[in-house]
Amino acid sequence: MTDADVPGRDGITALPARNIPAPEALSAEARHILAMARPAAPARPLLDDADGWRRYIAARNAELGSFLAPLIPTLAADVTVLRLGEATVYQAIPHEMAGPPGQTLLHMRGGGLLLGGGEENMRFEAAAMAHRTGRTIFAIDYPVPPDHPFPAALDQCLSAYRALLEEREPASLVISGASAGGNLACALLLRAKIADHPLPSGLILMSPEVDLTESGDSFHTLMGLDTRLTFRLTDFNRLYAGDADLFDPFVSPLFGDVSAFPTTFLQSGTRDLFLSNTVRMHRKLRAAGVRAELHIWDGMPHIGFGGMTMEDQEIYVEMKKFLSRCAA
């Protein structure tokens, strides 16, 4: 323990080790998920080991893809691959449309700004969002480090948005992002503002990774409780940023000028490592005069319980209500 870690100094609080029970009000499925053993995080390469990171990313994407591929047929959506500007996107059209005709989501996936790309992963991402929202989805398969550090992913997201603006009215568009995708969604709007592009009617942020400095309280208080995020993403963040400063607003949009952002839906849970990211962005938006809704679920880890619990379904119900309000 260093002097900086001494209890009572500079607000340091020492807590005894204790067991944390699952909230009694959770569904049985959600309680089961919280009780599951946390898998050990795969060893990560050193920051300057580019080949090691390429292998790490490929292995993690293949592992995730093999898990998700059998689930894609269970999602009521048709997926096609196309180009929007300079970006490869997966368009998903739900079998049953909800809400106003033509409302479209431009969606950015999660994965720590490194993971989640590739055919199976992106097909699932697009189909799942279409299935859950009842809207047409354009999910961007953005490029990642070490070969494509910042601002490569952001550039492609902006290119796709510009291409959509040529085909659709901004009022019919909503930007959405999960985790790392929330980072890109906010950074995209910051770039769009500077370029004087019209902004969409809404913004959906699911546990957004808007602060790559990881300075929020929940990075300390919830470490070990989150069943989805079991380690800090410090090395991911540094690899993504490349030569850029982590405080750069386009790298960490929490530090950007969010005035004039569209009405925003923010989602998190009381066991989400990114809870501080979410609540701080909500306060930032409110302080800037932006209409912002904050939805927090008790006991919920990062990005929900996997999509199959009653609590997950509540997220999608609230999201559909929000999308209908955006259209109105």
Side-chain angles (χ1 to χ4, degrees), residues 291-305:
R291 186 175 180 177
E293 305 178 7
L294 178 63
H295 298 264
I296 307 292
W297 273 263
D298 193 35
M300 184 173 283
H302 187 60
I303 310 292
F305 292 104

Side-chain angles (χ1 to χ4, degrees), residues 108-129:
M108 276 65 82
R109 70 173 189 271
L113 296 162
L114 298 186
L115 307 176
E119 181 83 11
E120 290 84 3
N121 298 330
M122 290 304 306
R123 283 188 177 276
F124 178 87
E125 184 82 12
M129 279 298 291

Side-chain angles (χ1 to χ4, degrees), residues 145-257:
D147 298 307
H148 305 286
F150 172 85
L154 180 54
D155 287 344
Q156 288 207 5
C157 292
L158 182 61
S159 178
Y161 182 61
R162 285 172 171 158
L164 269 185
L165 287 175
E166 294 177 0
E167 302 175 5
R168 290 168 166 77
E169 292 296 323
S172 71
L173 299 178
V174 174
I175 304 296
S176 67
S179 191
N183 177 300
L184 291 169
C186 291
L188 165 60
L189 291 181
L190 293 176
R191 287 275 297 272
K193 280 178 53 179
I194 291 175
D196 289 327
H197 296 322
L199 298 186
S201 63
L203 173 64
I204 293 176
L205 301 175
M206 293 169 281
S207 185
E209 190 183 7
V210 288
D211 175 16
L212 268 57
T213 73
E214 299 190 338
S215 59
D217 185 52
S218 60
F219 286 98
H220 300 282
T221 58
L222 297 180
M223 180 59 67
L225 271 178
D226 193 330
T227 57
R228 301 284 298 278
L229 275 178
T230 58
F231 58 91
R232 281 182 177 248
L233 300 180
T234 309
D235 48 356
F236 281 40
N237 299 345
R238 189 65 267 169
L239 189 68
Y240 169 76
D243 295 330
D245 191 327
L246 291 179
F247 285 95
D248 184 323
F250 298 115
V251 174
S252 295
L254 180 65
F255 306 120
D257 176 11

